[in-house]
Amino acid sequence: MRKILITAILGALCTGPAVADPVADNTAEAREIVKQFFGDLKGKLQAAMKEGGPTNAIGVCRNEAPGIARSTSEQTGWSVGRTSLQLRNFQNRADDWERQALEEFDQRKAAGEDITKMEKAEVVSVNGQETFRYMKAIPTAALCLNCHGAELKPEVKAKLDELYPTDQATGYQEGDIRGAFTLSKTL
Ligand code: HEC
């Protein structure tokens, strides 16, 4: 008897009207936006490196990255950016939610999780407004070490020192979490 009842309840739940899942739906959208943002940025960075080496490519990261973030935000209606616990540009500093996510990412990496798929998604209240927030870890690749590694070419170091006197974003190794993409959308 009880078994039949449970089956009936489960049946009713499963065949009920489809409930929208804001986390799953928005996560799928956020992943697409990250793919586009990262693709644009990496393409421009690689082209600039090929053309004039890392000293030349610093300009891409300095000028194009915020520009691509802005245009992606305008196109999608999402707020899109990058952040890190060790900043080069203070404008990219993390807020409380982002800092907590970045610390969690470090712990999850230490526990053995693959950082290439690491993400966090949550619906939170921001000033009383339901907001979807999403972050995706950015792994440090070999290419990144030209400007974020432990040993920089003297001319790269000189240029970075000049542009970012408080730079904390060096000393990384391949496979470290460099930072994260951070996206949000008011629901
Ligand atoms: C040619 C030098 C150069 C290379 C190569 C480079 N970066 Fe950067 N990176 C910069 C500069 C310059 C900034 C500061 C941009 C700004 O002013 O907004 C930066 C900023 C960042 C930030 C934003 C957080 C912060 O510290 O301000 C992240 C995340 C980041 N880089 C990740 C990467 C990753 C991942 C790679 C490799 C795929 C990479 N970078 C390769 C120069 C570089």
Side-chain angles (χ1 to χ4, degrees):
M1 182 60 197
R2 191 191 274 164
K3 200 166 170 192
I4 291 170
L5 189 63
I6 290 173
T7 311
I9 291 170
L10 281 178
L13 281 175
C14 297
T15 55
V19 179
D21 178 346
V23 171
D25 292 351
N26 285 304
T27 296
E29 207 179 322
R31 283 184 190 138
E32 284 307 309
I33 295 171
V34 164
K35 215 188 272 175
Q36 187 194 324
F37 182 25
F38 200 22
D40 274 8
L41 192 55
K42 219 157 56 183
K44 290 218 164 77
L45 180 60
Q46 277 162 343
M49 294 275 285
K50 219 169 169 182
E51 211 182 287
T55 320
N56 171 57
I58 288 171
V60 169
C61 299
R62 184 173 173 79
N63 305 314
E64 301 272 356
I68 297 172
R70 223 174 5 253
S71 62
T72 310
S73 297
E74 276 161 16
Q75 277 164 28
T76 59
W78 288 63
S79 155
V80 179
R82 296 184 304 168
T83 188
S84 174
L85 292 172
Q86 279 173 253
L87 290 171
R88 175 152 292 163
N89 186 338
F90 182 69
Q91 307 246 8
N92 297 324
R93 69 190 175 279
D95 65 19
D96 288 346
W97 189 87
E98 290 166 334
R99 178 165 305 106
Q100 208 184 338
L102 287 165
E103 285 166 359
E104 261 177 51
F105 285 176
D106 282 342
Q107 287 159 11
R108 284 161 59 180
K109 177 177 185 285
E113 190 175 327
D114 174 8
I115 65 168
T116 62
K117 295 194 179 71
M118 197 177 282
E119 57 185 358
K120 176 173 178 161
E122 200 177 5
V123 174
V124 296
S125 171
V126 179
N127 303 324
Q129 180 74 54
E130 293 261 282
T131 305
F132 176 75
R133 300 204 67 170
Y134 174 86
M135 276 172 74
K136 184 166 198 324
I138 311 177
T140 308
L143 164 76
C144 320
L145 301 180
N146 284 294
C147 300
H148 295 294
E151 281 165 46
L152 305 180
K153 282 189 184 157
E155 62 270 27
V156 173
K157 187 170 182 325
K159 184 94 192 160
L160 289 173
D161 283 347
E162 179 197 324
L163 294 172
Y164 304 96
T166 61
D167 187 12
Q168 299 178 312
T170 55
Y172 285 90
Q173 293 184 341
E174 203 174 338
D176 284 345
I177 298 177
R178 169 61 191 95
F181 292 103
T182 177
L183 282 75
S184 69
K185 188 175 93 166
T186 305
L187 296 179

XYZ file of all heavy atoms in Angstrom, residues 132-181:
388
model
N 21.677 36.149 -10.636
C 22.419 34.919 -10.923
C 23.897 35.267 -11.028
O 24.274 36.192 -11.754
C 21.947 34.296 -12.238
C 22.744 33.088 -12.639
C 22.559 31.875 -11.997
C 23.701 33.180 -13.637
C 23.315 30.753 -12.347
C 24.465 32.062 -13.998
C 24.265 30.850 -13.346
N 24.727 34.543 -10.286
C 26.170 34.797 -10.334
C 26.890 33.527 -10.757
O 26.517 32.419 -10.356
C 26.676 35.259 -8.962
C 25.995 36.547 -8.518
C 26.827 37.306 -7.527
N 28.043 37.805 -8.147
C 28.874 38.662 -7.559
N 28.628 39.100 -6.338
N 29.964 39.080 -8.184
N 27.925 33.725 -11.542
C 28.650 32.567 -12.111
C 30.132 32.887 -12.198
O 30.507 33.996 -12.579
C 28.107 32.290 -13.521
C 28.865 31.220 -14.275
C 28.552 29.872 -14.123
C 29.907 31.566 -15.137
C 29.261 28.894 -14.811
C 30.609 30.593 -15.832
C 30.275 29.264 -15.666
O 30.969 28.288 -16.344
N 30.954 31.930 -11.824
C 32.395 32.083 -12.034
C 32.985 30.813 -12.610
O 32.544 29.714 -12.286
C 33.107 32.431 -10.721
C 33.048 33.939 -10.460
S 33.637 34.426 -8.863
C 35.377 34.225 -9.050
N 33.980 30.998 -13.481
C 34.684 29.847 -14.069
C 36.176 30.063 -13.919
O 36.692 31.128 -14.290
C 34.316 29.708 -15.547
C 34.924 28.494 -16.201
C 34.289 28.204 -17.534
C 34.549 26.790 -18.035
N 35.844 26.220 -17.738
N 36.867 29.086 -13.379
C 38.311 29.201 -13.152
C 39.054 29.354 -14.473
O 38.658 28.787 -15.489
C 38.812 27.960 -12.414
N 40.132 30.150 -14.455
C 40.986 30.318 -15.638
C 42.329 29.654 -15.348
O 43.093 30.142 -14.512
C 41.241 31.800 -15.969
C 39.932 32.595 -15.983
C 41.973 31.928 -17.295
C 40.141 34.091 -16.228
N 42.623 28.544 -16.024
C 43.909 27.874 -15.792
C 45.065 28.671 -16.391
O 44.898 29.360 -17.393
C 43.765 26.537 -16.529
C 42.320 26.410 -16.884
C 41.772 27.795 -16.964
N 46.222 28.570 -15.784
C 47.435 29.180 -16.317
C 48.034 28.220 -17.343
O 48.400 27.096 -17.007
C 48.449 29.431 -15.188
O 47.796 30.164 -14.150
C 49.651 30.208 -15.686
N 48.099 28.684 -18.601
C 48.696 27.878 -19.673
C 50.130 28.353 -19.892
O 50.536 29.400 -19.364
C 47.879 28.048 -20.948
N 50.885 27.618 -20.700
C 52.285 27.982 -20.952
C 52.394 29.412 -21.496
O 53.244 30.192 -21.069
C 52.903 26.981 -21.932
N 51.491 29.757 -22.403
C 51.472 31.099 -23.009
C 51.409 32.213 -21.956
O 52.041 33.263 -22.089
C 50.227 31.175 -23.915
C 49.746 32.544 -24.390
C 50.645 33.056 -25.504
C 48.302 32.467 -24.896
N 50.675 31.972 -20.899
C 50.447 32.995 -19.866
C 51.719 33.305 -19.087
O 51.850 34.397 -18.524
C 49.372 32.529 -18.881
S 47.968 31.674 -19.639
N 52.650 32.328 -19.070
C 53.858 32.495 -18.242
C 54.740 33.631 -18.749
O 55.543 34.173 -17.989
C 54.653 31.186 -18.199
C 53.874 29.994 -17.625
C 54.749 28.742 -17.613
C 53.343 30.282 -16.222
N 54.576 34.003 -20.020
C 55.337 35.140 -20.556
C 55.119 36.400 -19.732
O 55.993 37.242 -19.649
C 54.905 35.434 -21.996
C 55.469 34.437 -22.968
O 56.671 34.377 -23.172
N 54.600 33.631 -23.565
N 53.937 36.528 -19.168
C 53.605 37.745 -18.416
C 53.130 37.472 -16.993
O 52.937 38.414 -16.221
C 52.524 38.539 -19.137
S 52.984 39.055 -20.793
N 52.894 36.216 -16.640
C 52.427 35.897 -15.286
C 53.320 34.871 -14.600
O 53.017 34.407 -13.502
C 50.988 35.361 -15.326
C 49.973 36.369 -15.794
N 49.661 37.500 -15.089
C 49.207 36.416 -16.926
C 48.736 38.200 -15.743
N 48.461 37.564 -16.874
N 54.423 34.484 -15.260
C 55.290 33.437 -14.729
C 56.268 33.943 -13.683
O 56.219 35.107 -13.263
N 57.160 33.054 -13.278
C 58.138 33.403 -12.242
C 59.345 34.126 -12.840
O 59.983 34.937 -12.177
C 58.588 32.133 -11.531
N 59.655 33.810 -14.111
C 60.812 34.451 -14.739
C 60.370 35.188 -15.987
O 60.063 34.580 -17.003
C 61.847 33.398 -15.100
C 62.655 32.971 -13.890
C 63.418 31.682 -14.151
O 64.034 31.587 -15.232
O 63.360 30.796 -13.283
N 60.342 36.488 -15.900
C 59.904 37.291 -17.051
C 61.122 37.852 -17.764
O 62.165 38.101 -17.144
C 59.036 38.454 -16.569
C 57.821 38.099 -15.715
C 57.061 39.361 -15.327
C 56.893 37.132 -16.438
N 60.985 38.049 -19.063
C 62.055 38.726 -19.811
C 62.211 40.132 -19.237
O 61.200 40.769 -18.909
C 61.660 38.842 -21.283
C 61.822 37.573 -22.066
C 61.621 37.891 -23.543
C 61.680 36.629 -24.370
N 61.002 36.771 -25.647
N 63.451 40.647 -19.159
C 63.657 41.961 -18.553
C 62.784 43.058 -19.152
O 62.251 43.900 -18.433
C 65.144 42.244 -18.799
C 65.767 40.921 -19.045
C 64.707 40.015 -19.582
N 62.599 43.012 -20.484
C 61.801 44.099 -21.092
C 60.317 43.967 -20.743
O 59.610 44.958 -20.627
C 62.034 44.197 -22.607
C 61.641 42.990 -23.425
C 62.780 41.967 -23.585
O 63.663 41.889 -22.708
O 62.766 41.243 -24.604
N 59.874 42.722 -20.560
C 58.473 42.509 -20.159
C 58.290 42.990 -18.721
O 57.342 43.703 -18.391
C 58.093 41.002 -20.275
C 56.709 40.739 -19.695
C 58.149 40.556 -21.726
N 59.231 42.613 -17.888
C 59.165 43.015 -16.476
C 59.180 44.547 -16.351
O 58.396 45.127 -15.588
C 60.343 42.405 -15.700
C 60.218 42.660 -14.225
C 61.207 41.897 -13.399
C 61.015 42.137 -11.910
N 60.599 43.485 -11.531
N 60.059 45.185 -17.146
C 60.167 46.648 -17.078
C 58.844 47.307 -17.474
O 58.375 48.239 -16.818
C 61.298 47.121 -17.996
N 58.240 46.785 -18.534
C 56.978 47.357 -19.019
C 55.863 47.151 -17.983
O 55.072 48.068 -17.711
C 56.611 46.670 -20.344
C 55.395 47.203 -21.026
C 55.780 48.261 -22.043
C 54.565 49.027 -22.524
N 54.895 50.307 -23.105
N 55.810 45.949 -17.410
C 54.765 45.676 -16.414
C 54.967 46.541 -15.170
O 54.005 47.074 -14.610
C 54.746 44.184 -16.040
C 54.226 43.236 -17.133
C 54.422 41.782 -16.713
C 52.747 43.501 -17.439
N 56.245 46.695 -14.755
C 56.534 47.538 -13.584
C 56.071 48.971 -13.806
O 55.560 49.621 -12.906
C 58.042 47.550 -13.276
C 58.479 46.269 -12.584
O 57.598 45.503 -12.136
O 59.698 46.018 -12.506
N 56.267 49.406 -15.058
C 55.898 50.784 -15.388
C 54.366 50.963 -15.355
O 53.849 51.915 -14.780
C 56.451 51.084 -16.786
C 56.148 52.451 -17.331
C 56.374 52.481 -18.851
O 57.314 51.822 -19.358
O 55.579 53.154 -19.531
N 53.666 49.980 -15.961
C 52.205 50.115 -16.077
C 51.468 49.709 -14.798
O 50.401 50.228 -14.493
C 51.692 49.246 -17.236
C 52.142 49.645 -18.639
C 51.728 48.578 -19.648
C 51.551 50.996 -19.028
N 52.038 48.725 -14.067
C 51.353 48.167 -12.885
C 52.319 48.100 -11.702
O 52.808 47.023 -11.342
C 50.808 46.763 -13.191
C 49.887 46.707 -14.379
C 50.371 46.343 -15.636
C 48.535 47.032 -14.256
C 49.532 46.310 -16.741
C 47.693 46.992 -15.367
C 48.198 46.634 -16.592
O 47.361 46.588 -17.682
N 52.594 49.257 -11.092
C 53.595 49.260 -10.014
C 53.225 48.358 -8.826
O 54.109 47.961 -8.075
C 53.663 50.737 -9.590
C 52.688 51.487 -10.410
C 52.077 50.587 -11.418
N 51.954 48.026 -8.671
C 51.572 47.163 -7.535
C 51.222 45.741 -7.992
O 50.514 45.014 -7.296
C 50.365 47.757 -6.781
O 49.264 47.835 -7.700
C 50.658 49.140 -6.215
N 51.732 45.357 -9.165
C 51.420 44.044 -9.760
C 51.672 42.872 -8.797
O 52.756 42.727 -8.248
C 52.321 43.875 -11.000
C 51.964 42.637 -11.804
O 50.902 42.039 -11.557
O 52.768 42.301 -12.702
N 50.638 42.043 -8.609
C 50.804 40.820 -7.794
C 50.689 39.567 -8.660
O 50.759 38.458 -8.137
C 49.679 40.735 -6.752
C 49.648 41.885 -5.763
C 48.479 41.732 -4.808
O 47.353 41.485 -5.235
N 48.743 41.856 -3.530
N 50.460 39.755 -9.967
C 50.073 38.623 -10.811
C 51.254 37.976 -11.527
O 51.207 37.711 -12.726
C 49.006 39.071 -11.807
N 52.338 37.732 -10.793
C 53.459 36.974 -11.363
C 53.775 35.801 -10.427
O 53.209 35.695 -9.350
C 54.728 37.845 -11.497
O 55.037 38.395 -10.217
C 54.546 38.970 -12.490
N 54.690 34.939 -10.880
C 55.088 33.797 -10.050
C 54.205 32.574 -10.250
O 54.320 31.594 -9.533
N 53.331 32.625 -11.246
C 52.445 31.475 -11.516
C 53.192 30.372 -12.256
O 54.179 30.632 -12.948
C 51.253 31.922 -12.367
C 50.217 32.718 -11.604
C 50.301 34.099 -11.521
C 49.160 32.080 -10.965
C 49.350 34.832 -10.823
C 48.213 32.803 -10.264
C 48.308 34.172 -10.197
O 47.376 34.892 -9.505
N 52.664 29.164 -12.106
C 53.177 28.026 -12.866
C 52.057 27.458 -13.713
O 50.874 27.647 -13.373
C 53.662 26.946 -11.909
C 54.875 27.412 -11.126
C 55.441 26.328 -10.234
O 54.763 25.350 -9.929
N 56.671 26.504 -9.830
N 52.437 26.744 -14.770
C 51.435 26.126 -15.629
C 50.540 25.223 -14.764
O 51.054 24.473 -13.929
C 52.142 25.308 -16.714
C 51.288 25.105 -17.918
C 52.037 24.408 -19.054
O 53.287 24.438 -19.083
O 51.354 23.834 -19.904
N 49.227 25.328 -14.974
C 48.304 24.486 -14.207
C 47.756 25.146 -12.949
O 46.831 24.625 -12.327
N 48.316 26.305 -12.578
C 47.748 27.069 -11.450
C 46.436 27.721 -11.889
O 46.233 27.964 -13.079
C 48.693 28.215 -11.039
C 49.900 27.741 -10.243
O 49.891 26.597 -9.762
O 50.869 28.538 -10.115
N 45.609 28.043 -10.916
C 44.433 28.860 -11.225
C 44.895 30.323 -11.254
O 45.338 30.851 -10.249
C 43.334 28.696 -10.155
C 42.842 27.245 -10.105
C 42.168 29.654 -10.441
C 41.794 26.985 -9.023
N 44.827 30.943 -12.429
C 45.264 32.338 -12.541
C 44.205 33.292 -11.993
O 44.503 34.364 -11.481
C 45.594 32.617 -14.018
C 45.827 34.054 -14.411
C 47.001 34.683 -13.666
N 46.998 36.123 -13.896
C 46.449 37.016 -13.090
N 45.881 36.662 -11.961
N 46.479 38.286 -13.387
N 42.960 32.922 -12.151
C 41.853 33.767 -11.714
C 40.564 33.137 -12.197
O 40.502 31.907 -12.342
N 39.577 33.975 -12.474
C 38.312 33.425 -12.947
C 37.560 34.454 -13.782
O 37.717 35.656 -13.588
C 37.448 32.997 -11.763
N 36.757 33.933 -14.687
C 35.762 34.779 -15.341
C 34.619 34.943 -14.362
O 34.267 34.000 -13.657
C 35.257 34.114 -16.628
C 36.290 34.040 -17.692
C 36.948 32.849 -17.975
C 36.644 35.179 -18.405
C 37.926 32.787 -18.947
C 37.627 35.128 -19.384
C 38.272 33.932 -19.651
